[in-house]
Amino acid sequence: MNSKLLDEIRETNLSYLLLAQQLIREDKAEALIRLGMSEETAELIEQLTTAQVLRIAASNMMMCSLRFDDEHVWQLLCKHSKDRSAAGMHAAILMAGRSVEQII
């Protein structure tokens, strides 16, 4: 893997971890749904020190991934119709439902 790609992965990891910490600290319940993670994982991420975040972010492995592989959700998100906001809300509802199923 070339160094530019590795740098981009590390930068993405850092951005993701910092955003995750911010979401968790502002509203943990909402963060669990938006991030699609368990409460235990959220607590671990919330408690990371700056040094730990930097060390984890430096990994060459992506810390985040696409949360869904449902073709229906992707079709809703990619819709180019006049009613894109309704399609986006429908996709968000489907994804939120799946997040709750994963937590339970």
Side-chain angles (χ1 to χ4, degrees):
M1 204 176 278
N2 70 42
S3 66
K4 184 176 188 240
L5 187 55
L6 289 174
D7 288 344
E8 289 178 9
I9 289 172
R10 292 176 183 131
E11 186 176 323
T12 300
N13 285 341
L14 180 59
S15 295
Y16 177 75
L17 289 169
L18 293 174
L19 176 63
Q21 278 189 325
Q22 180 181 349
L23 288 171
I24 293 164
R25 288 175 180 155
E26 288 179 6
D27 187 339
K28 189 177 282 187
E30 184 177 344
L32 296 178
I33 292 170
R34 287 190 183 275
L35 298 169
M37 65 177 57
S38 69
E39 189 166 348
E40 293 80 15
T41 301
E43 287 174 10
L44 287 171
I45 290 172
E46 181 180 25
Q47 296 172 10
L48 292 174
T49 65
T50 302
Q52 289 171 318
V53 167
L54 292 173
R55 190 170 51 250
I56 293 168
S59 169
N60 63 357
M61 212 160 92
M62 291 287 292
M63 296 291 112
C64 60
S65 64
L66 294 175
R67 287 186 21 204
F68 52 92
D69 59 1
D70 185 326
E71 182 181 343
H72 183 67
V73 173
W74 280 106
Q75 288 175 354
L76 286 168
L77 292 171
C78 296
K79 231 178 198 174
H80 298 291
S81 69
K82 291 187 282 183
D83 201 11
R84 285 197 323 209
S85 63
M89 286 192 315
H90 187 200
I93 290 167
L94 288 174
M95 290 185 294
R98 290 199 175 95
S99 294
V100 170
E101 289 171 6
Q102 291 172 351
I103 293 170
I104 297 175

